[in-house]
Amino acid sequence: MLPRSIAARSTRFSSAPQLQRLSTRCPRTHSLLLPSRIYHSRSSFIAGAKTHKAARWRLPQPATKRSLTTKPLPSTQSRFVRFCYRSAAYCGSVVLITGAVITAFFIYDATTYKNDPSNEEITVSELALHPRRGGPKNLPIASVLVDDDDQEGREMQTQKYKPKLVILGTGWGSVALLKGLNPDDYHITVVSPSNYFLFTPMLPSATVGTLELRSLVEPVRRIITRVKGHFLKAQAEDVDFSEKLVEVSALGPNGEKQHFYLPYDKLVIGVGSITNPHGVQGLENCHFLKDVSDARKIRNTVIRNLEAACLPTTSDEERKRLLSFVISGGGPTGVEFAAELFDMLNEDLCNYFPKILRSEISVHVIQSRGHILNTYDEALSRYAEARFAHDHVDVLTNSRVKEVQPDKILFTQKDEETGKIVTKELPMGFCLWSTGVSQTEFCQKLAKKLDGQNNKHALETDSHLRLIGAPLGDVYAIGDCSTVQNNVSDHILTFLRTLAWEKGKDPQQMEISYKDWRSVAKRVKQRFPQASDHLRRLDRLFEQYDKDKSGKLDFGELHELLHQIDSKLTSLPATAQRAHQQGQYLARKLNKIAHAAPGMRLNEMDYGDLDEAVYKAFEYKHLGSLAYIGNAAVFDINGLNFSGGLLAVYLWRSVYFAQSVSFRTRVLMAMDWTKRALFGRGEYTTCVYRSNILTAPHRHDELLDKTQQP
Ligand SMILES: Cc1cc2nc3c(=O)[nH]c(=O)nc-3n(C[C@H](O)[C@H](O)[C@H](O)COP(=O)(O)OP(=O)(O)OC[C@H]3O[C@@H](n4cnc5c(N)ncnc54)[C@H](O)[C@@H]3O)c2cc1C
């Protein structure tokens, strides 16, 4: 028999006989043995008993002995008291942890201040302070820089005698290059008028305050620290390829332009592009969206127009004009800006401005082609158009801007039915010019003085990104300012030849049907996305080049067709994606060259061969395109199309969040998105800056008056 207290308690868990059956006596001491587990309910006891038949048996522990006594069990606290105790314990832990974190933060923060001025001895070369003059224009030659001898924390001295690598520009290409270079291989100097890297894909969001500009920029000095590089806030003017000197200009202390030479062993040109004016008159009445200062000006103008539209002295007609926002260019930048502008007007405006504004605002997109986002898959273009139609964003396709006047735009539009071209007028209070890119003045100058540079839109390089016409292996060009000589037709014809041989046919005798042509075109589009534009109407192209009307294209006809497309292609797509890939490629190659060069030179191998010897040619891999279209986004990922509402927007944000340049910018972006959700898009004030071109994004001292109008 079990003692009474056990029997009584065990009825809570199971029946007494059951427990008795499961209990046994020790064969040696004859004391009571109990199962090593205590079960809290009858069912769990039975289940436990079944599954733990092989459970070890053990002698009762002192704790078990207590329960065997006949003393009443100590009375337990009420649930409420237990809850209070637990809550207090949790709160205490949270307060303790938070306190510890805050204290740790303050301790860390305190260590970041520097009270005593630095008294360390600084060595600066005489040549850095008083550079010798020389070169074709007898200008100072900056062969030694003022921070070349810096030590204690910067350790620049170790780089002093390494090969000089000069990088022009601080954009996507240059920054990808800087991030990929080995720290100890080159003496690196970056030259650019912008002392920051700008995350351009999110720039349209910054024009309306969804994101703050500071979240999109990363100071370049921070980026070059890893490679112990130097930065000169200046602009490249010219290059003397024979003497290996870059002519650079910078604003002196009194605002005057000063010129000097910067010597190089290797030069990388990554100066980007400028907006293509397309020869249109009156672009001084337009805004551009290329830089931080452009985004600020746009934001100011939008808010200034909204404020002016609220004045009692503004007539109805004038109000409508002020609230007419025109975007010239239906590519990704124009479309994303239109979408952001619409979001801002739709979501935030009603909360802070008179309701009448909302009903009188109009957003127009003027697009020269048949669809907006015309480099994307047609289904996505149509989706974007449907979205804009839903949002009452007016899309004017087949329209070309003729002239921009201060208060209106003149444009021609082709009537789709009659084919007639009519000229129309659109009153406007704001116009964004976003119609593709063209070459900077600096690149035009270089192209003129080099042999083999025939492209009007970009500097031509070979497939190793070496500038054609410059001494081999000295000068590279990456990003928007350059194009690789692709020879699309040769590439595809090689592919077709291989295909023919595989099928056991003579390539010259091969003929392809319309179906084959479609798959060839698909392949061309994948390999050369910039060709997509010229491969829209496949049926028409087929018809046009099927000269003998046989319903098939023979090798000669196909060659001619592809050659025509090839000649129309200006460059690789002017995208961050391409510039980034080229920067990464060049970094890998320059790292290899740095290690291979000494050995190659010993073996008297021609230095110009080094590129080909150490690394493969550059190959652009198009990873896809995405665009934000106003609380919706479209993805064109190599034929895999995807579009949608807010879920797609979150995905779109995640992609750019992951690509953002640093942890700091990621944190700031996340904070901005949170801020938008909680408080809207921010202050509706305008900013005035001392100079028109704000080159340093963090210079708040230049902010004169936040309430005045520019
Ligand atoms: C608003 C906007 C949105 C965009 N969105 C996307 C997108 O979503 N996806 C995408 O793939 N691409 C996008 N792009 C395109 C992308 O930004 C460019 O293709 C990319 O910036 C090109 O990189 P880059 O290095 O060639 O030149 P850039 O990034 O333009 O940098 C050029 C650098 O050269 C400097 N520079 C200029 N002249 C000189 C000189 N004479 N001497 C020295 N330095 C000089 C400039 O100050 C700048 O630092 C967008 C562009 C814009 C403007």
Side-chain angles (χ1 to χ4, degrees):
M1 278 298 283
L2 283 169
R4 237 179 65 220
S5 62
I6 284 231
R9 284 181 68 209
S10 63
T11 49
R12 250 177 72 211
F13 312 119
S14 65
S15 65
Q18 240 175 343
L19 188 59
Q20 205 172 12
R21 250 183 283 129
L22 283 165
S23 312
T24 184
R25 294 211 170 251
C26 172
R28 199 159 44 83
T29 60
H30 293 278
S31 55
L32 188 70
L33 292 170
L34 289 171
S36 60
R37 285 182 174 221
I38 293 172
Y39 296 96
H40 296 280
S41 72
R42 191 166 186 269
S43 56
S44 64
F45 172 82
I46 292 165
K50 276 182 192 161
T51 53
H52 291 86
K53 271 196 181 150
R56 277 184 289 116
W57 295 88
R58 61 179 169 80
L59 283 168
Q61 299 298 306
T64 326
K65 272 183 197 160
R66 218 189 80 204
S67 63
L68 289 173
T69 67
T70 50
K71 271 189 191 171
L73 288 169
S75 67
T76 51
Q77 287 150 335
S78 76
R79 274 181 158 203
F80 176 71
V81 174
R82 275 206 317 266
F83 171 76
C84 290
Y85 273 132
R86 275 197 195 137
S87 307
Y90 284 134
C91 290
S93 320
V94 170
V95 169
L96 224 67
I97 292 168
T98 316
V101 170
I102 292 174
T103 314
F105 172 76
F106 276 112
I107 292 171
Y108 167 74
D109 186 57
T111 62
T112 59
Y113 296 101
K114 208 173 171 184
N115 284 328
D116 302 322
S118 165
N119 288 325
E120 68 188 78
E121 288 258 316
I122 300 165
T123 326
V124 181
S125 157
E126 183 61 25
L127 209 55
L129 296 173
H130 304 288
R132 70 179 171 88
R133 297 182 87 88
K137 293 188 185 170
N138 197 29
L139 296 173
I141 301 178
S143 46
V144 183
L145 299 174
V146 282
D147 50 353
D148 261 340
D149 290 300
D150 277 6
Q151 283 178 310
E152 309 245 339
R154 296 194 74 211
E155 309 301 341
M156 307 296 261
Q157 258 186 348
T158 50
Q159 309 299 104
K160 210 171 161 184
Y161 302 106
K162 305 248 163 91
K164 287 187 190 308
L165 170 63
V166 173
I167 301 170
L168 305 179
T170 48
W172 276 92
S174 309
V175 166
L177 169 64
L178 282 165
K179 286 189 147 193
L181 283 170
N182 287 339
D184 295 318
D185 290 344
Y186 294 95
H187 173 280
I188 299 168
T189 309
V190 180
V191 178
S192 175
S194 333
N195 57 2
Y196 54 84
F197 164 76
L198 173 64
F199 192 74
T200 45
M202 285 297 188
L203 196 56
S205 303
T207 55
V208 295
T210 310
L211 291 176
E212 293 299 329
L213 283 164
R214 61 156 198 269
S215 315
L216 305 183
V217 294
E218 183 72 2
V220 77
R221 286 188 185 277
R222 205 187 277 244
I223 299 170
I224 57 172
T225 313
R226 191 187 66 86
V227 287
K228 298 173 196 156
H230 307 259
F231 175 72
L232 296 175
K233 191 169 179 307
Q235 185 163 326
E237 297 284 348
D238 202 353
V239 180
D240 188 309
F241 296 104
S242 54
E243 293 201 34
K244 292 194 177 188
L245 294 171
V246 187
E247 185 188 333
V248 173
S249 76
L251 285 186
N254 302 321
E256 77 287 358
K257 243 187 176 186
Q258 293 179 334
H259 289 244
F260 59 93
Y261 285 126
L262 194 62
Y264 65 83
D265 292 307
K266 288 204 176 279
L267 174 68
V268 179
I269 304 172
V271 296
S273 54
I274 52 169
T275 310
N276 195 340
H278 289 288
V280 170
Q281 302 270 304
L283 290 194
E284 63 278 9
N285 301 311
C286 293
H287 284 264
F288 302 93
L289 185 52
K290 266 295 212 188
D291 205 351
V292 167
S293 54
D294 296 333
R296 279 207 171 98
K297 280 187 214 156
I298 289 174
R299 196 163 163 179
N300 279 351
T301 309
V302 171
I303 293 163
R304 191 189 57 192
N305 283 11
L306 294 176
E307 293 294 359
C310 298
L311 295 176
T313 46
T314 306
S315 67
D316 271 0
E317 197 185 336
E318 184 62 359
R319 190 182 310 113
K320 276 195 181 137
R321 184 189 71 77
L322 284 169
L323 298 177
S324 163
F325 297 91
V326 179
I327 293 106
S328 183
T333 303
V335 164
E336 286 189 351
F337 173 74
E340 290 282 356
L341 184 67
F342 170 80
D343 286 353
M344 190 265 254
L345 300 174
N346 192 44
E347 289 165 13
D348 291 5
L349 191 75
C350 305
N351 299 335
Y352 307 105
F353 285 85
K355 294 267 183 283
I356 187 173
L357 299 201
R358 183 66 201 94
S359 60
E360 295 197 344
I361 277 172
S362 57
V363 180
H364 314 267
V365 179
I366 300 182
Q367 163 71 326
S368 58
R369 305 287 166 90
H371 295 284
I372 54 170
L373 294 181
N374 63 308
T375 51
Y376 289 54
D377 187 88
E378 203 172 319
L380 295 178
S381 301
R382 288 193 189 284
Y383 178 84
E385 281 166 6
R387 185 85 205 180
F388 274 7
H390 167 267
D391 293 344
H392 303 293
V393 173
D394 177 28
V395 177
L396 300 156
T397 49
N398 297 316
S399 307
R400 279 183 178 276
V401 175
K402 257 174 75 179
E403 192 183 340
V404 185
Q405 293 179 3
D407 57 350
K408 64 177 175 234
I409 282 191
L410 305 179
F411 67 98
T412 55
Q413 194 172 38
K414 190 173 160 193
D415 192 314
E416 267 187 28
E417 280 171 16
T418 60
K420 258 189 170 179
I421 292 178
V422 281
T423 304
K424 294 184 176 176
E425 266 185 31
L426 188 60
M428 60 88 186
F430 169 94
C431 176
L432 176 77
W433 189 258
S434 164
T435 55
V437 296
S438 71
Q439 229 174 4
T440 61
E441 219 176 288
F442 169 68
C443 291
Q444 284 173 18
K445 201 186 273 181
L446 296 191
K448 263 187 207 152
K449 60 200 268 188
L450 291 172
D451 289 337
Q453 291 288 338
N454 303 316
N455 195 310
K456 285 193 182 116
H457 301 274
L459 291 171
E460 284 183 279
T461 68
D462 65 7
S463 55
H464 279 267
L465 307 186
R466 293 174 292 198
L467 187 65
I468 288 174
L472 202 62
D474 280 0
V475 188
Y476 301 83
I478 54 173
D480 280 8
C481 70
S482 68
T483 182
V484 180
Q485 278 183 347
N486 283 310
N487 241 340
V488 176
S489 57
D490 282 357
H491 184 89
I492 299 299
L493 287 174
T494 312
F495 159 72
L496 287 174
R497 272 195 198 103
T498 321
L499 201 76
W501 290 123
E502 272 171 15
K503 287 184 177 175
K505 289 183 185 167
D506 177 0
Q508 301 297 333
Q509 307 298 323
M510 198 178 76
E511 290 183 327
I512 64 164
S513 64
Y514 179 65
K515 197 174 155 218
D516 296 333
W517 162 233
R518 279 174 65 113
S519 60
V520 168
K522 195 174 171 196
R523 201 187 148 90
V524 178
K525 279 195 234 177
Q526 273 173 7
R527 175 72 180 78
F528 304 101
Q530 70 273 31
S532 308
D533 228 16
H534 308 286
L535 289 167
R536 295 247 150 236
R537 294 303 307 265
L538 297 180
D539 49 345
R540 270 196 213 156
L541 281 171
F542 191 88
E543 216 178 288
Q544 190 184 341
Y545 285 89
D546 180 17
K547 300 258 166 68
D548 53 7
K549 303 290 166 211
S550 61
K552 292 199 165 175
L553 291 181
D554 61 32
F555 200 75
E557 288 167 341
L558 188 64
H559 185 274
E560 205 183 321
L561 193 163
L562 292 171
H563 187 72
Q564 273 303 312
I565 292 171
D566 203 6
S567 65
K568 282 184 199 160
L569 292 185
T570 49
S571 58
L572 285 172
T575 58
Q577 192 183 137
R578 192 259 288 210
H580 184 76
Q581 284 183 22
Q582 290 188 323
Q584 283 183 324
Y585 163 85
L586 200 55
R588 282 194 290 268
K589 191 162 68 173
L590 290 178
N591 289 341
K592 282 186 184 284
I593 287 178
H595 290 123
M600 292 276 198
R601 250 183 256 123
L602 272 180
N603 293 325
E604 292 184 353
M605 198 160 172
D606 185 353
Y607 198 72
D609 290 341
L610 209 47
D611 288 79
E612 282 193 20
V614 298
Y615 207 48
K616 59 185 179 181
F618 170 74
E619 199 179 326
Y620 171 64
K621 289 190 185 71
H622 185 65
L623 302 175
S625 315
L626 22 157
Y628 176 73
I629 52 169
N631 295 339
V634 292
F635 295 75
D636 185 347
I637 302 169
N638 291 336
L640 182 77
N641 303 330
F642 171 67
S643 55
L646 281 178
L647 270 183
V649 172
Y650 290 130
L651 188 62
W652 172 79
R653 279 186 188 174
S654 316
V655 170
Y656 284 127
F657 181 78
Q659 283 183 352
S660 186
V661 68
S662 69
F663 179 65
R664 185 191 71 88
T665 50
R666 270 180 219 127
V667 170
L668 290 175
M669 274 164 84
M671 281 162 62
D672 287 348
W673 281 321
T674 314
K675 186 206 74 186
R676 188 214 67 86
L678 295 176
F679 311 112
R681 282 185 173 72
E683 311 155 64
Y684 292 96
T685 52
T686 49
C687 310
V688 179
Y689 294 89
R690 200 170 280 149
S691 65
N692 272 345
I693 299 161
L694 186 78
T695 43
H698 300 301
R699 292 188 56 186
H700 295 296
D701 55 333
E702 290 197 345
L703 192 72
L704 294 180
D705 180 0
K706 281 191 111 187
T707 53
Q708 285 176 32
Q709 291 173 4

